[in-house]
Amino acid sequence: MTPKIRAQGLSFYYGAVRALHDISVEILPNLVTAFIGPSGCGKSTFLRTLNRMNDIIPGTRVEGRVFIDDADIYRPGVDVVALRRRVGMVFQKSNPFPKSIFDNVAYGLRVNGMAGSRSELAGRVEESLRQAALWDEVKDRLHESALALSGGQQQRLCIARALAVRPEILLMDEPASALDPIATQRIEELVYELKKAYTIVIVTHNMQQAARVSDHTAFFWLGRLVEYDRTDKIFTNPAEKLTEDYVTGRFG
Amino acid sequence: MRGRALDRAFQVLALLVLCLALAALGALIADVWRDGAARLSWDFLTGFPSRRAENAGIWHALTGSIFVIVVTAALAVPIGVGAAIYLEEYGTRSVAARVIEINIANLAAVPSIIYGLLGLGLFVRALAMGRSVLAGASTLALLVLPVIILSTREALRAVPPSIREGSYALGATKWQTVWYQVLPVAMPGILTGTILALSRAIGETAPLITIGALTFVAFAPDGLWSPFTVLPIQIFNWVSRPQPGFQVNAAAAILVLLALLLTMNAAAIWLRDRYQKKLR
């Protein structure tokens, strides 16, 4: 299978601090890839290099290359705005816009000139909300504020919002870390559904979650990629002693 | 226990200070009310200046004040908000940016008569606007610009970064993010700061006298190039007259000016609440 995302010797600096050391990894399409590791290991930073979200933090610098479909996203002249439409992102803390549920989902379509006619727009909003398994809960109050939703619903709204612009890749940065177990389960079921159509990369603190939802797992430690393999291999028979110590809960 | 006593003492002290401030304002209003309330009438509001105190009105000054402040807002708000957006969202953290920042903070503290001198030299003479509404409004716009820029930047900075990130992650450009997400969230703060700045401008006398606004105008301003006067100048003029009738007129005009100010502040609060409700 041709990889969807390929990082090559990627290093990342916050000012003088080197947060990522020479990461090389290939992420396959239509699978869920989990990034695990202790806090500060660089897994979120790496995730954010994949849609150049780190660009908005002043004083940061990237070395190395990241290819998506064989095109380097860090080459000069890349349209970062178009890149971010193709590579969607869901954040750790749900961040719905202080607008209506409908407008939250429609926003990405509007700013990308994908809104079309009124009924087309409404259709896309409905489709996205259904994909995110939120439609039935909100269909009667689409024009009420998104901030009135529960935490789990807000996070699924953020997923719907990301899906609306039809990305190819969905990056999820600890999407369930602030949610209760039932809401978490719903997000995990959703991830399982979505991988049929998307390439999903999920950062998680929770090793059971990585084991449940992912096909491949990458273990990061102190800004380095220690081991990357099939999830069952990482959790049952890792090659590195450090990985084994982490997944068995000896540190982290 | 000691902590709680201290807490209580501080609470009482704060309440006392508040009462003092309110009492000063109350005394001022009561005094002016006693002197001028009887003079307030429709004829007073719609009348023109006269040598006879009982015939004099404030229509020219009231319309002048409103006209000048509307033009001031039309000039200062777009420029001020635009400058703040540039500094906060687009500007880099360079040395030049920091120098500009410090200078804006300093400009906010410059005495208003200095702006009057600048307005006289720049707008009245160099740009040949004369003693017009436009020259007065331009001068006042310069005066309130720093305050509008500072309060707008404050409001923009208070917008949570997660909203910006969410917008960028959907493929929005910087401008779309600012226009559709950041500005609506910052709007209550921007409006409050702007209206408070404008309420300061409406009470300004010195810079307008400096640029040569007339103290005796017998007509309402009828265009941007029209000569004008404003309420504070009319009040200043009447207070300096020896006849007691004009003192009464001044008190009544002060009441009108206060009413105008309170209306503007009430509008600020109303707009802020409306926006906050819309966001919730």
Side-chain angles (χ1 to χ4, degrees):
Chain A
M1 224 184 324
T2 13
K4 183 76 184 168
I5 307 170
R6 189 157 52 89
Q8 229 174 41
L10 190 88
S11 294
F12 188 82
Y13 301 83
Y14 289 106
V17 181
R18 192 174 184 182
L20 293 176
H21 295 261
D22 206 18
I23 309 277
S24 294
V25 68
E26 295 188 345
I27 291 166
L28 299 179
N30 297 98
L31 291 180
V32 177
T33 302
F35 292 172
I36 61 169
S39 297
C41 69
K43 55 192 192 298
S44 283
T45 301
F46 181 56
L47 189 80
R48 292 166 59 99
T49 61
L50 302 180
N51 66 344
R52 296 189 51 171
M53 222 37 208
N54 287 323
D55 286 19
I56 59 179
I57 306 171
T60 59
R61 188 160 58 82
V62 179
E63 281 172 10
R65 302 205 275 183
V66 176
F67 296 91
I68 290 177
D69 290 337
D70 286 322
D72 183 1
I73 62 170
Y74 282 98
R75 74 180 186 279
V78 166
D79 182 353
V80 180
V81 167
L83 169 75
R84 294 195 185 122
R85 193 198 61 71
R86 288 174 61 205
V87 186
M89 190 164 206
V90 177
F91 297 85
Q92 176 172 8
K93 209 174 146 282
S94 61
N95 56 348
F97 302 128
K99 297 175 185 296
S100 73
I101 294 167
F102 185 92
D103 285 340
N104 261 274
V105 184
Y107 178 66
L109 296 167
R110 287 178 176 142
V111 297
N112 285 293
M114 298 160 71
S117 73
R118 201 172 247 258
S119 62
E120 275 164 5
L121 180 65
R124 284 292 278 280
V125 169
E126 175 175 347
E127 181 194 321
S128 308
L129 286 167
R130 281 188 193 282
Q131 274 187 297
L134 190 60
W135 175 254
D136 291 332
E137 292 159 61
V138 301
K139 63 182 176 207
D140 299 323
R141 47 173 173 151
L142 287 177
H143 296 285
E144 288 172 31
S145 170
L147 302 184
L149 297 173
S150 73
Q153 288 172 326
Q154 288 192 6
Q155 195 60 300
R156 275 180 285 143
L157 178 66
C158 291
I159 294 173
R161 188 172 81 180
L163 295 178
V165 296
R166 300 206 172 137
E168 299 154 32
I169 298 165
L170 193 59
L171 308 176
M172 307 178 96
D173 189 358
E174 303 195 39
S177 67
L179 302 181
D180 64 55
I182 292 168
T184 301
Q185 193 194 344
R186 299 206 62 166
I187 301 277
E188 288 180 10
E189 287 165 1
L190 188 56
V191 169
Y192 190 80
E193 274 305 305
L194 292 175
K195 77 171 178 180
K196 292 170 191 159
Y198 303 91
T199 303
I200 295 177
V201 187
I202 182 168
V203 164
T204 175
H205 242 84
N206 177 330
M207 277 177 283
Q208 286 81 12
Q209 185 173 64
R212 280 192 303 261
V213 303
S214 72
D215 302 289
H216 287 128
T217 296
F219 170 55
F220 287 80
W221 193 67
L222 296 180
R224 291 168 206 278
L225 176 63
V226 176
E227 190 170 351
Y228 175 54
D229 212 323
R230 296 212 326 269
T231 297
D232 53 351
K233 178 122 190 316
I234 292 279
F235 281 94
T236 55
N237 186 22
E240 300 286 332
K241 177 81 171 58
L242 202 56
T243 313
E244 185 180 340
D245 287 351
Y246 184 72
V247 298
T248 53
R250 245 167 266 168
F251 75 95
Chain B
M1 259 348 263
R2 226 182 119 240
R4 197 172 308 165
L6 210 65
D7 196 29
R8 186 97 195 115
F10 186 74
Q11 203 182 341
V12 171
L13 187 73
L15 190 68
L16 275 175
V17 174
L18 175 70
C19 290
L20 198 70
L22 285 179
L25 181 66
L28 178 78
I29 293 176
D31 185 49
V32 179
W33 183 264
R34 210 188 46 221
D35 289 347
R39 185 70 184 82
L40 283 178
S41 68
W42 189 246
D43 285 341
F44 180 68
L45 288 178
T46 57
F48 287 96
S50 164
R51 268 175 296 136
R52 303 209 340 242
E54 59 273 24
N55 291 342
I58 56 165
W59 182 246
H60 57 298
L62 182 61
T63 49
S65 268
I66 293 172
F67 193 14
V68 166
I69 215 66
V70 167
V71 178
T72 301
L75 290 170
V77 173
I79 298 175
V81 173
I85 289 174
Y86 177 79
L87 287 170
E88 202 54 41
E89 306 285 334
Y90 289 86
T92 48
R93 309 273 91 203
S94 62
V95 179
R98 222 161 297 156
V99 170
I100 291 174
E101 234 163 81
I102 293 168
N103 267 309
I104 291 173
N106 284 338
L107 281 177
V110 168
S112 57
I113 192 146
I114 309 286
Y115 284 97
L117 290 170
L118 174 65
L120 179 66
L122 181 64
F123 299 122
V124 178
R125 302 247 169 91
L127 297 178
M129 292 181 187
R131 305 161 162 197
S132 62
V133 169
L134 188 60
S138 302
T139 306
L140 289 181
L142 281 186
L143 178 74
V144 296
L145 255 182
V147 182
I148 292 179
I149 293 175
L150 289 175
S151 58
T152 303
R153 292 193 66 183
E154 218 47 64
L156 292 173
R157 219 171 297 161
V159 176
S162 65
I163 290 191
R164 291 189 176 83
E165 285 202 326
S167 177
Y168 287 131
L170 289 170
T173 61
K174 192 157 204 163
W175 169 243
Q176 288 168 332
T177 300
V178 169
W179 185 252
Y180 293 113
Q181 302 297 347
V182 176
L183 271 183
V185 176
M187 199 49 93
I190 295 175
L191 282 173
T192 311
T194 301
I195 297 186
L196 290 180
L198 291 175
S199 352
R200 186 191 155 193
I202 207 168
E204 281 293 346
T205 322
L208 295 179
I209 290 185
T210 315
I211 68 159
L214 304 176
T215 48
F216 187 93
V217 182
F219 45 82
D222 58 359
L224 285 175
W225 303 100
S226 163
F228 68 102
T229 193
V230 290
L231 276 171
I233 294 180
Q234 184 61 61
I235 293 165
F236 175 75
N237 178 18
W238 278 338
V239 167
S240 50
R241 299 277 192 96
Q243 301 92 325
F246 285 111
Q247 307 293 325
V248 174
N249 283 358
I254 288 171
L255 286 175
V256 174
L257 183 59
L258 275 174
L260 200 59
L261 265 171
L262 291 178
T263 310
M264 282 177 71
N265 289 357
I269 294 168
W270 180 75
L271 279 170
R272 191 183 58 203
D273 286 357
R274 221 181 70 132
Y275 261 98
Q276 274 168 350
K277 239 175 247 139
K278 234 169 75 182
L279 295 178
R280 225 168 271 132

